[in-house]
Amino acid sequence: MLTPRTTAGQVFLLQVVIVVLLVVAAVAAMVLEAAREAVQQAQRDSVVAAQSFASAPGMVEALRGPHPTAVLQPRAEEARKKAGVDFVVVMNTRGIRYTYPYPQEIGKKFVGTIEPALHGRTVVEQAGGPPLPTGEGTAVQAVVPVTDARGTVVGLVSAGITVKNVARLWLPQLPIALGAGAAAVALAGAGTTLVSRRLLRQTRGLAPAELAGMYEHHDAVLHAVREGVLIIDADGRLVLANDEAKRLLGLPGDARGSLVRELGLPEQITRLLTSPEEVTDEVLLAEDRLLAVNKRPTFPDEGRGGSVVTLRDTTELATVSGRAEVARERLKLLYEAGVRIGTTLDVRCTAQELADVAVPQFAGVVTVDLLDSVLQGWEPTAEGWRRLRRAAIGGEHEMMPMYPLDEVITFSPKTPQMLALNQGQGVLEADLRQARGWQEQDPERARAVLERGVHSLVSVPLRARSVSLGVANFYRTGDSPAFEPEDLSFAEELAARAAVAIDNARRFTREHAMAVTLQRSLLPRGQPEQDALEVAWRYLPAEAGVGGDWFDVIPLPGGRVALVMGDVVGHGLHAAATMGRLRTAVHNFSTLDLPVDEVLGNLDDLVIRMDNEESADDAAQAHEGEGVTGATCLYAIYEPVTGACTVARAGHPDPIVVRPDGTVTCPDVPASAPLGLGSHPFETAELHLPEGSQLVLYTDGLVRDRTRDPDVGLDGLRLALKGAGERTPGETCQAVIDALKPTHPSDDIALLVARTRLFPPSHVAEWDVPSDPAVVPSVRARCREKLREWGLEESEFTTELILSELVTNAIRYGSPPVTVRLLYGRCLSCEVSDASSTSPRLRRAATTDEGGRGLFLVAQFAERWGTRYTPYGKVIWAEQTLHDSASAAPAHTPIDVLLEQFGDPAM
């Protein structure tokens, strides 16, 4: 009410300004008067104090004495405190101080006028001086002479009060002036508030300009709106009627002020206008118009009576309201269909969603029939239209003799379903009793359906990309109205939306099946024969599509086994194809018997080349590609003779080791960068695994999920592996999958469990060979003795031949020390190692050459042979397959025949 925007607020601000000015003037006058009086009082007090001290007994003697300061300083301070002045100074006739409140100022020149005092007069003035206990400032001081008995001036005394201290004389009067001003402001505010409230009550809070504008707007709006407005007082008299009300009710121009009962209105309207009851949207007939009437009391809280009535012509609205409501329901159903249809990428589920969304808002029963090729994910063809499979049923079909789910239906050419498929548009059968083609399909079933109350049908083809996938059938039953042409258009719109979702699901089904088939064809199909590990694995594809997870178990020479676990970034065919290329590359690198870090380095180079190829292809085709190829991989080589396992990982999760006693540990394998980044070395770790230990390899899909943190998943994996030392690898795999498999896996899961074995010491023979060709016969003899100990007499000749050739080459072309090792397992392995890094190679010897046929003989008699490099040199190895009743050597090819063929130029 007292804001500056209101008149009362402006008056109040003026009063405040006047009061403030008066208070300021009063305070200024009071300050000046108090200052003047205070100065006069200070002068009087200073003169009295100075004269009193100057007339004190002993003053003259003290001034003429040898130490005036010692005598007068205590007296001056005592007099100053008793007199209430700020200083009492005694000085000689030259103005040199003998006393002062601060001793350091004694002996200095007095600040002030002393000449009149030297002539016997009293001097009163304002002057500044040294600091005083009360603070710095201008002092009111009096200077009086000190005379002896003869009237001679022997010294001077000055007493004074600072101006700062004089000000305290008028400060006590200041609250009186300020309080008076505050009281005046409060009275002004109270008076203005009372006047403002009275004005607000009278004008209802409106300013004069607002009041004028309100009346102008009232008249403009009241007579321009397309709605009649009536105001009736408590006596039933018409107070106001706008132009629209006069038109709707046919009121005369002078109707204002008349009683409603005297206006000649229809009895129903007169009774409604004069009754005290409230009315909301009541429709009344006035001549040829339908009027929607609303009535409310004018003063409901005051009980003063009267009412306001609004009238609206709804004649045209009533005509179109029914159609608008139907259209609104259809739009709502289409929106619901867009939300509910296509929530999954399953063809049958999508078809069922179409059937469910149309019941009961549009139809009583809905069936969806699709081609078999669509359900299997293949492209639909027109040849399959005659035979459709029922994919979904919605509504009250339990009580209807309809074709059941998965039933193959052969439609005749005259049925609405076949007509819809052939024409590519919907077919309406408003009355099924007259639909001959529909009844001829199955007369007995049709008769039973009609008896159950089904009376109308709309068949609409499900078309996507100008190809029909099937047909949707909408039936109405019971008392529901028959389908109309507008319903046919709506059914086609609904089916078109569903067809797109069904086609998307079909294409996903095809791609998913192809990707799963490709991926499963690229993964291991069986366990290779080897002696080092007992292996089991599990592979679970993602729910929404296959990924690039892979694993492998690769036997290596010397009884060793390589374990591989990898994960390609992404999903779908691209990831599966990339996985196949990487798995093939790992096999090739393993065949070369490379160290684990070199295998990962070669894989890294391969991934970079693949990425560059894709980038170049994308640039050439000017479209966005599959994205950067990336992968993680873990590669491990297990040596069953020593129990050592060499591991390296490129961005892959840590392996887990379960000891024979059930202890679960995570070995510290250095983490290297994922494949595809380049220029990063791959670090290795050497693990010692006791016999019976289980090495667990997995992909991150096992421990990572959208709703699960990787650390939580890893803790769950450790918990599932606890106590797995007594389980078989297969049982361990199943226990882990049961504990950690997500309900809806979003990523592939690969799990590999390998239990370690050790070669029995009795099946391993190893000895050093001196670097002398003369010892080769003794090596053959020792080999023959070991083979007879193992019961391999049938392999003696072949093994001695192979071993003698390898030892001879090592002694002749290698570097000492030379070591021989025989391993007896599923096959018989001969290994000869030396300190040279030069690898032998197989070559063709001429008939005149004396040598060069040793490796040829080894290659002919051994199942496999090759070279692997070690940190200390190389190992030449050869493996022979052991048979139950036959020698490992090819008995049908004597050595002489082989040597003769080797020199044949035709070879």
Side-chain angles (χ1 to χ4, degrees):
M1 291 184 294
L2 298 182
T3 60
R5 297 182 180 180
T6 63
T7 303
Q10 295 170 1
V11 172
F12 175 70
L13 290 178
L14 179 60
Q15 292 174 343
V16 171
V17 171
I18 294 173
V19 171
V20 170
L21 292 176
L22 292 175
V23 171
V24 171
V27 171
M30 182 180 62
V31 170
L32 293 176
E33 179 63 23
R36 186 180 63 81
E37 293 179 358
V39 170
Q40 293 177 356
Q41 181 65 33
Q43 292 174 352
R44 291 192 296 268
D45 293 344
S46 298
V47 171
V48 172
Q51 289 178 349
S52 298
F53 192 78
S55 302
M59 177 62 69
V60 175
E61 289 78 5
L63 288 172
R64 288 178 175 176
H67 302 289
T69 298
V71 176
L72 296 176
Q73 175 68 11
R75 296 180 183 180
E77 286 300 301
E78 183 179 359
R80 178 180 66 84
K81 295 178 181 178
K82 290 181 178 181
V85 294
D86 293 333
F87 63 90
V88 175
V89 178
V90 181
M91 68 195 84
N92 60 17
T93 56
R94 296 190 307 274
I96 303 302
R97 301 188 190 102
Y98 289 151
T99 65
Y100 200 80
Y102 294 128
Q104 62 269 24
E105 298 296 332
I106 297 173
K108 296 182 180 179
K109 184 70 173 180
F110 176 73
V111 180
T113 304
I114 63 174
E115 284 78 7
L118 294 176
H119 295 88
R121 296 194 298 270
T122 299
V123 180
V124 179
E125 63 177 349
Q126 294 182 4
L132 295 171
T134 57
E136 297 180 357
T138 303
V140 177
Q141 61 187 15
V143 181
V144 299
V146 179
T147 59
D148 59 6
R150 294 178 294 180
T152 303
V153 177
V154 296
L156 303 174
V157 176
S158 176
I161 301 175
T162 61
V163 175
K164 180 176 182 181
N165 289 341
V166 171
R168 68 176 183 269
L169 299 176
W170 58 266
L171 285 176
Q173 303 177 22
L174 181 61
I176 299 175
L178 295 179
V185 171
L187 290 176
T192 304
T193 302
L194 293 176
V195 174
S196 178
R197 288 183 176 178
R198 184 173 182 182
L199 289 175
L200 287 175
R201 287 196 301 270
Q202 293 178 350
T203 62
R204 298 185 181 275
L206 298 177
E210 293 176 331
L211 288 172
M214 183 188 69
Y215 283 112
E216 292 176 359
H217 298 159
H218 170 269
D219 290 339
V221 174
L222 186 64
H223 298 289
V225 295
R226 296 288 296 173
E227 188 167 323
V229 179
L230 302 173
I231 298 180
I232 303 171
D233 62 13
D235 299 330
R237 195 175 299 274
L238 183 62
V239 177
L240 182 144
N242 67 346
D243 295 341
E244 183 67 12
K246 294 177 181 179
R247 186 184 70 84
L248 294 177
L249 297 178
L251 297 176
D254 58 351
R256 182 176 179 181
S258 303
L259 293 173
V260 174
R261 296 185 179 277
E262 298 175 356
L263 295 177
L265 299 175
E267 180 61 25
Q268 188 179 11
I269 295 179
T270 300
R271 184 171 59 254
L272 184 145
L273 296 179
T274 57
S275 67
E277 299 177 355
E278 296 184 14
V279 175
T280 300
D281 288 336
E282 183 171 341
V283 179
L284 301 178
L285 180 63
E287 296 182 356
D288 57 346
R289 295 187 180 91
L290 289 176
L291 302 180
V293 182
N294 288 276
K295 181 181 177 183
R296 294 291 184 274
T298 52
F299 303 100
D301 298 330
E302 300 179 8
R304 295 165 54 183
S307 59
V308 177
V309 180
T310 59
L311 308 171
R312 185 174 66 255
D313 191 352
T314 61
T315 305
E316 297 179 358
L317 181 62
T319 304
V320 300
S321 60
R323 296 182 180 179
E325 181 65 20
V326 173
R328 187 182 68 83
E329 292 296 331
R330 294 291 168 81
L331 288 175
K332 181 180 178 182
L333 185 57
L334 284 177
Y335 171 78
E336 186 178 355
V339 173
R340 293 176 54 185
I341 298 177
T343 58
T344 66
L345 290 174
D346 183 86
V347 176
R348 293 182 182 272
C349 290
T350 305
Q352 188 62 49
E353 289 170 349
L354 169 61
D356 293 339
V357 79
V359 177
Q361 292 92 335
F362 181 67
V365 177
V366 178
T367 61
V368 181
D369 305 321
L370 300 176
L371 278 70
D372 271 339
S373 58
V374 173
L375 293 171
Q376 297 171 6
W378 306 114
E379 290 289 340
T381 58
E383 291 77 8
W385 288 357
R386 290 290 301 276
R387 294 173 58 84
L388 300 178
R389 187 177 297 275
R390 180 135 296 174
I393 305 177
E396 304 173 356
H397 60 277
E398 294 85 358
M399 304 300 296
M400 301 292 177
M402 299 284 185
Y403 289 104
L405 284 174
D406 281 336
E407 179 83 9
V408 176
I409 308 172
T410 303
F411 288 105
S412 62
K414 295 183 180 180
T415 57
Q417 290 83 356
M418 284 304 299
L419 292 175
L421 290 172
N422 290 324
Q423 298 173 4
Q425 59 185 9
V427 175
L428 169 63
E429 294 289 351
D431 188 359
L432 287 178
R433 291 180 176 81
Q434 307 300 325
R436 302 301 178 188
W438 175 76
Q439 296 182 15
E440 290 175 359
Q441 169 70 26
D442 191 337
E444 294 184 3
R445 191 184 299 271
R447 188 180 308 108
V449 169
L450 293 174
E451 292 175 355
R452 299 294 175 88
V454 178
H455 58 80
S456 188
L457 166 66
V458 169
S459 293
V460 183
L462 297 170
R463 294 176 60 84
R465 296 179 294 108
S466 301
V467 177
S468 295
L469 310 176
V471 62
N473 307 298
F474 303 91
Y475 296 90
R476 282 190 175 172
T477 62
D479 298 333
S480 58
F483 285 116
E484 298 179 356
E486 294 180 355
D487 298 319
L488 177 60
S489 301
F490 174 78
E492 290 178 339
E493 175 69 20
L494 188 62
R497 299 192 179 196
V500 173
I502 292 175
D503 188 58
N504 290 337
R506 176 194 65 80
R507 297 172 68 179
F508 171 79
T509 301
R510 179 189 63 186
E511 294 181 3
H512 182 73
M514 293 173 60
V516 170
T517 302
L518 173 62
Q519 189 176 40
R520 291 193 181 280
S521 66
L522 295 176
L523 291 173
R525 298 190 179 183
Q527 295 192 15
E529 293 185 357
Q530 44 86 26
D531 298 314
L533 298 170
E534 180 184 355
V535 182
W537 60 67
R538 295 291 186 275
Y539 175 79
L540 301 176
E543 188 177 67
V546 297
D549 293 11
W550 95 91
F551 57 90
D552 223 328
V553 180
I554 306 173
L556 299 177
R560 298 169 302 131
V561 177
L563 299 177
V564 190
M565 180 67 70
D567 186 0
V568 176
V569 174
H571 293 81
L573 291 174
H574 179 265
T578 303
M579 177 268 288
R581 296 177 66 179
L582 294 181
R583 180 169 180 256
T584 302
V586 171
H587 270 273
N588 294 333
F589 297 145
S590 299
T591 302
L592 299 176
D593 213 348
L594 300 176
V596 292
D597 55 338
E598 292 187 21
V599 171
L600 293 183
N602 290 328
L603 283 179
D604 186 48
D605 295 338
L606 175 62
V607 172
I608 293 175
R609 288 198 301 272
M610 293 166 60
D611 184 26
N612 294 335
E613 292 172 0
E614 291 180 3
S615 300
D617 182 65
D618 294 340
Q621 299 183 16
H623 65 81
E624 186 177 358
E626 299 281 349
V628 176
T629 301
T632 66
C633 183
L634 186 147
Y635 189 77
I637 295 179
Y638 175 67
E639 168 63 70
V641 176
T642 61
C645 182
T646 306
V647 187
R649 62 189 182 102
H652 203 80
D654 274 316
I656 295 179
V657 175
V658 183
R659 301 289 179 180
D661 59 358
T663 304
V664 179
T665 61
C666 291
D668 186 14
V669 179
S672 302
L675 301 177
L677 298 182
S679 302
H680 292 278
F682 296 96
E683 301 182 35
T684 62
E686 191 81 18
L687 309 180
H688 179 72
L689 303 179
E691 186 173 13
S693 300
Q694 295 189 23
L695 183 63
V696 181
L697 308 181
Y698 56 93
T699 56
D700 59 357
L702 182 66
V703 297
R704 183 193 301 270
D705 192 57
R706 294 173 183 171
T707 59
R708 181 173 56 192
D709 186 82
D711 293 337
V712 176
L714 192 58
D715 292 340
L717 176 59
R718 294 193 188 99
L719 183 62
L721 291 174
K722 185 174 294 185
E726 299 179 356
R727 302 175 188 161
T728 65
E731 294 172 346
T732 301
C733 285
Q734 193 60 44
V736 170
I737 293 298
D738 293 342
L740 299 180
K741 177 186 176 183
T743 305
H744 302 285
S746 58
D747 194 7
D748 291 9
I749 296 175
L751 175 64
L752 177 66
V753 178
R755 172 178 284 173
T756 60
R757 299 169 178 164
L758 290 178
F759 261 96
S762 60
H763 285 205
V764 179
E766 184 175 5
W767 62 91
D768 296 331
V769 178
S771 184
D772 183 2
V775 301
V776 174
S778 63
V779 171
R780 288 200 300 267
R782 191 167 183 177
C783 173
R784 182 167 52 253
E785 179 182 348
K786 180 58 66 175
L787 293 179
R788 290 177 180 176
E789 179 183 337
W790 290 342
L792 301 177
E793 292 84 355
E794 297 179 353
S795 300
E796 287 181 8
F797 173 76
T798 304
T799 306
E800 289 180 26
L801 177 62
I802 293 173
L803 190 60
S804 64
E805 292 296 336
L806 296 181
V807 171
T808 301
N809 282 340
I811 294 174
R812 181 175 299 176
Y813 304 109
S815 301
V818 178
T819 303
V820 174
R821 187 171 74 166
L822 299 178
L823 299 177
Y824 172 34
R826 294 179 182 270
C827 62
L828 181 61
S829 297
C830 300
E831 297 181 352
V832 177
S833 61
D834 64 86
S836 173
S837 59
T838 303
S839 175
R841 59 186 180 87
L842 184 66
R843 67 182 182 86
R844 183 180 298 277
T847 55
T848 58
D849 291 342
E850 295 183 359
R853 299 176 177 83
L855 288 181
F856 175 78
L857 295 175
V858 172
Q860 290 295 323
F861 282 93
E863 182 74 18
R864 296 189 305 162
W865 77 280
T867 304
R868 73 172 181 269
Y869 295 94
T870 67
Y872 311 103
K874 68 176 182 298
V875 176
I876 310 298
W877 55 270
E879 292 183 352
Q880 304 174 67
T881 302
L882 299 178
H883 301 281
D884 295 336
S885 58
S887 173
H892 61 282
T893 307
I895 185 63
D896 296 335
V897 177
L898 291 174
L899 292 177
E900 291 176 0
Q901 291 180 352
F902 190 85
D904 189 353
M907 289 185 63

PDB file of all heavy atoms in Angstrom, residues 62 93 244 323 343 368 395 403 429 580 644 673 745 793 865:
ATOM      1  N   ALA A  62      58.708  26.791  44.219  1.00  0.00           N
ATOM      2  CA  ALA A  62      59.021  25.660  43.333  1.00  0.00           C
ATOM      3  C   ALA A  62      59.602  26.128  42.012  1.00  0.00           C
ATOM      4  O   ALA A  62      60.528  25.507  41.457  1.00  0.00           O
ATOM      5  CB  ALA A  62      57.762  24.835  43.085  1.00  0.00           C
ATOM      6  N   THR A  93      59.060  31.691  32.090  1.00  0.00           N
ATOM      7  CA  THR A  93      58.665  32.881  31.326  1.00  0.00           C
ATOM      8  C   THR A  93      59.072  32.763  29.870  1.00  0.00           C
ATOM      9  O   THR A  93      58.577  33.535  29.028  1.00  0.00           O
ATOM     10  CB  THR A  93      59.304  34.133  31.949  1.00  0.00           C
ATOM     11  OG1 THR A  93      60.731  33.946  32.012  1.00  0.00           O
ATOM     12  CG2 THR A  93      58.768  34.381  33.369  1.00  0.00           C
ATOM     13  N   GLU A 244     -24.754 -10.852 -27.112  1.00  0.00           N
ATOM     14  CA  GLU A 244     -24.917 -12.245 -27.494  1.00  0.00           C
ATOM     15  C   GLU A 244     -26.074 -12.894 -26.730  1.00  0.00           C
ATOM     16  O   GLU A 244     -26.839 -13.695 -27.303  1.00  0.00           O
ATOM     17  CB  GLU A 244     -23.610 -13.016 -27.234  1.00  0.00           C
ATOM     18  CG  GLU A 244     -23.628 -14.482 -27.652  1.00  0.00           C
ATOM     19  CD  GLU A 244     -23.732 -14.676 -29.143  1.00  0.00           C
ATOM     20  OE1 GLU A 244     -23.573 -13.684 -29.894  1.00  0.00           O
ATOM     21  OE2 GLU A 244     -23.978 -15.827 -29.576  1.00  0.00           O
ATOM     22  N   ARG A 323     -18.068 -37.329 -33.913  1.00  0.00           N
ATOM     23  CA  ARG A 323     -16.959 -37.664 -34.806  1.00  0.00           C
ATOM     24  C   ARG A 323     -15.615 -37.275 -34.192  1.00  0.00           C
ATOM     25  O   ARG A 323     -14.619 -37.983 -34.360  1.00  0.00           O
ATOM     26  CB  ARG A 323     -17.147 -36.957 -36.148  1.00  0.00           C
ATOM     27  CG  ARG A 323     -18.401 -37.415 -36.909  1.00  0.00           C
ATOM     28  CD  ARG A 323     -18.491 -36.713 -38.234  1.00  0.00           C
ATOM     29  NE  ARG A 323     -19.678 -37.142 -38.983  1.00  0.00           N
ATOM     30  CZ  ARG A 323     -20.025 -36.669 -40.178  1.00  0.00           C
ATOM     31  NH1 ARG A 323     -19.268 -35.718 -40.740  1.00  0.00           N
ATOM     32  NH2 ARG A 323     -21.092 -37.108 -40.778  1.00  0.00           N
ATOM     33  N   THR A 343       8.396 -53.442 -29.493  1.00  0.00           N
ATOM     34  CA  THR A 343       9.270 -53.308 -28.325  1.00  0.00           C
ATOM     35  C   THR A 343      10.360 -54.368 -28.311  1.00  0.00           C
ATOM     36  O   THR A 343      11.358 -54.207 -27.607  1.00  0.00           O
ATOM     37  CB  THR A 343       8.449 -53.405 -27.033  1.00  0.00           C
ATOM     38  OG1 THR A 343       7.751 -54.668 -27.000  1.00  0.00           O
ATOM     39  CG2 THR A 343       7.417 -52.276 -26.971  1.00  0.00           C
ATOM     40  N   VAL A 368      -3.364 -62.720 -36.563  1.00  0.00           N
ATOM     41  CA  VAL A 368      -2.277 -62.323 -37.456  1.00  0.00           C
ATOM     42  C   VAL A 368      -1.696 -63.587 -38.064  1.00  0.00           C
ATOM     43  O   VAL A 368      -1.262 -64.494 -37.334  1.00  0.00           O
ATOM     44  CB  VAL A 368      -1.188 -61.537 -36.704  1.00  0.00           C
ATOM     45  CG1 VAL A 368      -0.073 -61.123 -37.664  1.00  0.00           C
ATOM     46  CG2 VAL A 368      -1.774 -60.305 -36.033  1.00  0.00           C
ATOM     47  N   GLY A 395      -7.743 -61.150 -27.990  1.00  0.00           N
ATOM     48  CA  GLY A 395      -9.157 -60.964 -27.702  1.00  0.00           C
ATOM     49  C   GLY A 395      -9.803 -62.215 -27.153  1.00  0.00           C
ATOM     50  O   GLY A 395      -9.147 -63.090 -26.574  1.00  0.00           O
ATOM     51  N   TYR A 403      -8.767 -70.822 -35.911  1.00  0.00           N
ATOM     52  CA  TYR A 403      -7.570 -71.622 -36.123  1.00  0.00           C
ATOM     53  C   TYR A 403      -6.596 -71.355 -34.979  1.00  0.00           C
ATOM     54  O   TYR A 403      -6.356 -70.200 -34.621  1.00  0.00           O
ATOM     55  CB  TYR A 403      -6.917 -71.268 -37.452  1.00  0.00           C
ATOM     56  CG  TYR A 403      -7.707 -71.738 -38.656  1.00  0.00           C
ATOM     57  CD1 TYR A 403      -8.452 -70.842 -39.403  1.00  0.00           C
ATOM     58  CD2 TYR A 403      -7.678 -73.076 -39.047  1.00  0.00           C
ATOM     59  CE1 TYR A 403      -9.166 -71.253 -40.511  1.00  0.00           C
ATOM     60  CE2 TYR A 403      -8.405 -73.503 -40.157  1.00  0.00           C
ATOM     61  CZ  TYR A 403      -9.148 -72.587 -40.888  1.00  0.00           C
ATOM     62  OH  TYR A 403      -9.868 -73.005 -41.980  1.00  0.00           O
ATOM     63  N   GLU A 429     -15.591 -56.641 -44.854  1.00  0.00           N
ATOM     64  CA  GLU A 429     -16.808 -57.470 -44.863  1.00  0.00           C
ATOM     65  C   GLU A 429     -17.661 -56.998 -43.707  1.00  0.00           C
ATOM     66  O   GLU A 429     -17.501 -57.445 -42.572  1.00  0.00           O
ATOM     67  CB  GLU A 429     -16.459 -58.955 -44.731  1.00  0.00           C
ATOM     68  CG  GLU A 429     -15.704 -59.554 -45.895  1.00  0.00           C
ATOM     69  CD  GLU A 429     -16.572 -59.701 -47.142  1.00  0.00           C
ATOM     70  OE1 GLU A 429     -17.816 -59.483 -47.035  1.00  0.00           O
ATOM     71  OE2 GLU A 429     -16.036 -60.024 -48.206  1.00  0.00           O
ATOM     72  N   GLY A 580      36.860 -64.270 -36.568  1.00  0.00           N
ATOM     73  CA  GLY A 580      37.375 -65.396 -37.345  1.00  0.00           C
ATOM     74  C   GLY A 580      38.756 -65.127 -37.906  1.00  0.00           C
ATOM     75  O   GLY A 580      39.635 -66.006 -37.900  1.00  0.00           O
ATOM     76  N   ALA A 644      55.214 -74.627 -15.790  1.00  0.00           N
ATOM     77  CA  ALA A 644      55.289 -73.177 -15.985  1.00  0.00           C
ATOM     78  C   ALA A 644      54.255 -72.745 -17.023  1.00  0.00           C
ATOM     79  O   ALA A 644      53.992 -73.444 -17.999  1.00  0.00           O
ATOM     80  CB  ALA A 644      56.691 -72.762 -16.419  1.00  0.00           C
ATOM     81  N   ALA A 673      48.103 -52.580 -23.400  1.00  0.00           N
ATOM     82  CA  ALA A 673      47.049 -51.883 -24.152  1.00  0.00           C
ATOM     83  C   ALA A 673      46.299 -52.866 -25.039  1.00  0.00           C
ATOM     84  O   ALA A 673      46.857 -53.884 -25.476  1.00  0.00           O
ATOM     85  CB  ALA A 673      47.662 -50.780 -24.999  1.00  0.00           C
ATOM     86  N   PRO A 745      21.374 -61.333 -21.120  1.00  0.00           N
ATOM     87  CA  PRO A 745      22.763 -60.929 -21.389  1.00  0.00           C
ATOM     88  C   PRO A 745      22.848 -59.955 -22.556  1.00  0.00           C
ATOM     89  O   PRO A 745      22.291 -60.207 -23.629  1.00  0.00           O
ATOM     90  CB  PRO A 745      23.467 -62.249 -21.697  1.00  0.00           C
ATOM     91  CG  PRO A 745      22.373 -63.185 -22.103  1.00  0.00           C
ATOM     92  CD  PRO A 745      21.147 -62.774 -21.348  1.00  0.00           C
ATOM     93  N   GLU A 793      59.534-100.653 -28.555  1.00  0.00           N
ATOM     94  CA  GLU A 793      60.545-101.290 -29.392  1.00  0.00           C
ATOM     95  C   GLU A 793      60.259-101.094 -30.867  1.00  0.00           C
ATOM     96  O   GLU A 793      61.193-100.994 -31.697  1.00  0.00           O
ATOM     97  CB  GLU A 793      60.628-102.791 -29.068  1.00  0.00           C
ATOM     98  CG  GLU A 793      61.184-103.098 -27.689  1.00  0.00           C
ATOM     99  CD  GLU A 793      60.110-103.035 -26.605  1.00  0.00           C
ATOM    100  OE1 GLU A 793      58.972-102.655 -26.953  1.00  0.00           O
ATOM    101  OE2 GLU A 793      60.410-103.340 -25.428  1.00  0.00           O
ATOM    102  N   TRP A 865      57.644 -81.824 -37.697  1.00  0.00           N
ATOM    103  CA  TRP A 865      58.933 -81.396 -37.206  1.00  0.00           C
ATOM    104  C   TRP A 865      59.031 -79.884 -37.386  1.00  0.00           C
ATOM    105  O   TRP A 865      58.284 -79.271 -38.147  1.00  0.00           O
ATOM    106  CB  TRP A 865      60.090 -82.107 -37.910  1.00  0.00           C
ATOM    107  CG  TRP A 865      60.353 -81.552 -39.305  1.00  0.00           C
ATOM    108  CD1 TRP A 865      59.688 -81.820 -40.444  1.00  0.00           C
ATOM    109  CD2 TRP A 865      61.375 -80.606 -39.637  1.00  0.00           C
ATOM    110  NE1 TRP A 865      60.198 -81.127 -41.483  1.00  0.00           N
ATOM    111  CE2 TRP A 865      61.246 -80.358 -41.027  1.00  0.00           C
ATOM    112  CE3 TRP A 865      62.380 -79.967 -38.908  1.00  0.00           C
ATOM    113  CZ2 TRP A 865      62.095 -79.493 -41.703  1.00  0.00           C
ATOM    114  CZ3 TRP A 865      63.221 -79.105 -39.580  1.00  0.00           C
ATOM    115  CH2 TRP A 865      63.087 -78.863 -40.960  1.00  0.00           C
TER     116      TRP A 865
END
